[in-house]
Amino acid sequence: KQKLQETLNAVPPQVERRIFMKLQELRQKKAIKERIPPYTVAGNTLLKTIAQQAPTTPATLDAILGFRSSGLKDEAEQVLAIIAEARG
């Protein structure tokens, strides 16, 4: 049953890539604004996980390991908007 649910929620590769690239842009903008290296805002592994899981609610986004301690935690609404736009 778990595998079936994961399959139903699977994000197509092109959508996953679009989400990942937009998250990188968001991370870059925040890093420039705060004058810090982008990897200190959020690592690529976290961005990939968000793109793969493509959460649709603040609760499911918070449930992703490392999100709440990342520099993107204050940008949760923007992250969810990126995902919603990419999914169409």
Side-chain angles (χ1 to χ4, degrees), residues 46-64:
L46 177 60
L47 299 185
K48 285 178 188 172
T49 302
I50 294 169
Q52 288 168 348
Q53 294 184 15
T56 55
T57 66
T60 53
L61 182 57
D62 267 355
I64 293 176

Side-chain angles (χ1 to χ4, degrees), residues 13-63:
Q14 65 273 21
V15 173
E16 182 181 321
R17 182 80 183 138
R18 200 173 318 135
I19 293 169
F20 180 73
M21 292 175 73
K22 289 288 189 180
L23 290 174
Q24 283 184 313
E25 288 176 24
L26 177 62
R27 175 182 68 182
Q28 185 68 25
K29 287 177 187 173
K30 183 164 178 131
I32 290 169
K33 182 180 171 187
E34 296 184 11
R35 296 181 178 195
I36 57 175
Y39 66 86
T40 62
V41 175
N44 280 341
T45 302
L46 177 60
L47 299 185
K48 285 178 188 172
T49 302
I50 294 169
Q52 288 168 348
Q53 294 184 15
T56 55
T57 66
T60 53
L61 182 57
D62 267 355

